[in-house]
Amino acid sequence: QLPSFSPDEFVLVTGGLGYIGSHAALELMKAGYNVIIIDDLSNSFSSVRWRIQQLAAAHCRAEGRPIPQLRFHEADYQSPAMKVILEQYATPSYDGGDHPRSQIAAVIHFAAYKSVPLSILHPLDYYENNVCGLVRFVRLLGSFHIHTFIFSSSATVYGSKANTEKPLREEDVVHHSHDPNRPASVEGLACPYARTKYFCEAILADVAASDPRWRIVVLRYFNPIGCDPSGVLGESPRATPTNLFPVVGQVLTGQRDQLSVFGRDWPTRDGTAIRDYVHVADIARGHVKALEKENTRGEPFRVYNLGSGTGSSVLEVVRSLEAATGTEIPIVWTGRRPGDVGFCVAANARAEKELDWTPIVGIGQSAKDLWNYLLLQQQERTLPAAAT
Ligand code: NAD
Ligand code: WQD
């Protein structure tokens, strides 16, 4: 089933206890991969590890397959501790050469800070963790002869290009150009967070161009929503959420009185902004597909959008959540949020064609999954013994 991975090999997942990383770790284990998670718990909790383990084990048992290994190292991915961890997975080369061979066959790099407003307040923290860390980490991986790397990027790299009603194509972002009519894309980016993702992409493109052993895939997520349908795994950040779905979640659980809707004067069908919401499990499956593709793909660097390809307005999202929960969501109209765009939707033909990836879960099901998770969280809070 997994042609180029042997049973003693691992996929290393940084940020694997976070929202998207935890769902990706689960999806990898369901597909038979052993996983090593690196997380410093700056925006997650160690109990997520057991949730991933529980769901993966249940899935594999139901299918009568062996349960892949899940290991966890609490560490900052850019700290000297990483060298010590990678040494644990280095084995002598098969071919009698001097180079150690790593049991780590591929790395998926989710670890980063992701808040747009905090990136404006603390830009150096963002450049340090997201960009400087990446440089150090990629250099370290190269020294262990680990060259397969999947990077979490974001639709945020489309910046002001997102404001037209055309779905965004991967080639709309230009990393290097001497052509004055097609300048590199950095100038339309709204915040330091967006620039960190753009710089990381450009750095990775340069690395891949410099050494043909690299196989680098950049995945640009649009708006990830929902969670595992079991309700066991979801989005539980330490930081206060600012994204639409988790903010509505706070309204539904009484942690906020109402949803502030940012702008009703966008040139859209109902005046509220349109985004491409895509279920987190679909995004997670995109990583498994990208990894499988690595076995056959020729180019050292390739970018893919992971979006549903369809747009929904803020009001449409609110209606879906109301229908899924049977609860009215009070809203208050406020002005546009600085840096927002009116329309941001993916063209996803490249991922469909080259990765054989098709998103399958819609907003209605995503809303139900979120509700399941919130209900289970509430139950766990009232049963302290279960809240491990
Ligand atoms: P998240 O904050 O839930 O997960 C990130 C995880 O990385 C957290 O568990 C955090 O503790 C960990 N982390 C951060 N810095 C670390 C470090 N130096 N060392 C080790 N661990 C570290 O975020 P998420 O929503 O799961 O996002 C994952 C990735 O996807 C990020 O790179 C983010 O920028 C990107 N992304 C997210 C979205 C979104 O809307 N959620 C959209 C596009 C792209
Ligand atoms: C969606 C829509 C808001 C909250 C951000 C990042 C992007 C990526 C995904 C990481 C917008 C509206 C929201 C609220 C609202 N993250 N909204 N009231 O802004 O599309 O993208 O997350 O890479 O980089 O910028 O997502 O969920 O914040 O907003 O009206 O309280 O909901 O204005 O139209 P966004 P979002």
Side-chain angles (χ1 to χ4, degrees), residues 208-259:
S210 73
D211 180 340
R213 286 175 298 174
W214 282 99
R215 286 288 174 275
I216 297 177
V217 177
V218 166
L219 299 177
R220 292 184 187 143
Y221 320 141
F222 277 65
N223 291 64
I225 53 168
C227 57
D228 190 79
S230 64
V232 170
L233 196 59
E235 184 169 10
S236 280
R238 287 182 193 269
T240 307
T242 55
N243 289 129
L244 182 58
F245 251 66
V247 167
V248 174
Q250 290 193 321
V251 177
L252 289 166
T253 51
Q255 295 168 75
R256 281 183 201 236
D257 294 336
Q258 60 212 4
L259 169 73

Side-chain angles (χ1 to χ4, degrees), residues 14-22 38-45 75-78 109-114 129-130 151-156 193 197 219-224 235 237 243:
T14 72
L17 297 186
Y19 172 45
I20 307 174
S22 59
I38 304 291
D39 204 299
D40 67 356
L41 307 182
S42 53
N43 199 29
S44 55
F45 297 90
D76 178 344
Y77 86 94
Q78 47 169 327
H109 181 50
F110 293 97
Y113 295 152
K114 66 165 181 177
N129 198 31
N130 295 9
F151 177 70
S152 293
S153 191
S154 166
T156 193
Y193 170 71
K197 289 293 170 186
L219 299 177
R220 292 184 187 143
Y221 320 141
F222 277 65
N223 291 64
E235 184 169 10
N243 289 129

Side-chain angles (χ1 to χ4, degrees), residues 139-374:
R139 190 192 287 282
L140 183 68
L141 293 176
S143 74
F144 280 86
H145 301 271
I146 300 167
H147 290 110
T148 300
F149 191 81
I150 298 179
F151 177 70
S152 293
S153 191
S154 166
T156 193
V157 298
Y158 291 108
S160 53
K161 290 193 176 63
N163 226 356
T164 68
E165 279 190 31
K166 265 178 41 198
L168 294 149
R169 294 166 314 156
E170 288 83 351
E171 57 269 36
D172 291 337
V173 169
V174 179
H175 296 121
H176 317 107
S177 174
H178 298 298
D179 178 354
N181 297 318
R182 248 190 130 230
S185 306
V186 72
E187 58 197 44
L189 301 180
C191 65
Y193 170 71
R195 283 185 280 279
T196 69
K197 289 293 170 186
Y198 176 83
F199 293 149
C200 287
E201 287 194 4
I203 289 165
L204 292 170
D206 287 339
V207 168
S210 73
D211 180 340
R213 286 175 298 174
W214 282 99
R215 286 288 174 275
I216 297 177
V217 177
V218 166
L219 299 177
R220 292 184 187 143
Y221 320 141
F222 277 65
N223 291 64
I225 53 168
C227 57
D228 190 79
S230 64
V232 170
L233 196 59
E235 184 169 10
S236 280
R238 287 182 193 269
T240 307
T242 55
N243 289 129
L244 182 58
F245 251 66
V247 167
V248 174
Q250 290 193 321
V251 177
L252 289 166
T253 51
Q255 295 168 75
R256 281 183 201 236
D257 294 336
Q258 60 212 4
L259 169 73
S260 298
V261 178
F262 302 140
R264 62 192 307 184
D265 56 351
W266 294 102
T268 60
R269 45 190 177 260
D270 61 19
T272 64
I274 289 184
R275 293 289 182 275
D276 183 328
Y277 297 93
V278 52
H279 195 279
V280 68
D282 279 331
I283 290 189
R285 280 189 283 273
H287 293 74
V288 178
K289 291 284 189 182
L291 213 50
E292 286 166 1
K293 188 71 186 168
E294 276 318 292
N295 301 331
T296 53
R297 195 172 59 88
E299 314 100 294
F301 181 84
R302 195 75 174 143
V303 179
Y304 298 97
N305 285 340
L306 294 184
S308 70
T310 53
S312 307
S313 72
V314 177
L315 281 186
E316 287 162 356
V317 169
V318 169
R319 301 292 168 251
S320 298
L321 283 154
E322 286 181 334
T325 59
T327 309
E328 194 187 328
I329 296 162
I331 62 171
V332 55
W333 297 102
T334 56
R336 292 182 180 187
R337 186 171 60 176
D340 261 359
V341 291
F343 184 92
C344 182
V345 174
N348 58 11
R350 186 186 284 184
E352 289 200 345
K353 183 161 170 265
E354 295 182 21
L355 299 180
D356 187 27
W357 175 78
T358 314
I360 50 182
V361 190
I363 289 198
Q365 184 59 45
S366 307
K368 285 184 192 151
D369 294 343
L370 171 69
W371 189 227
N372 259 347
Y373 180 67
L374 296 175

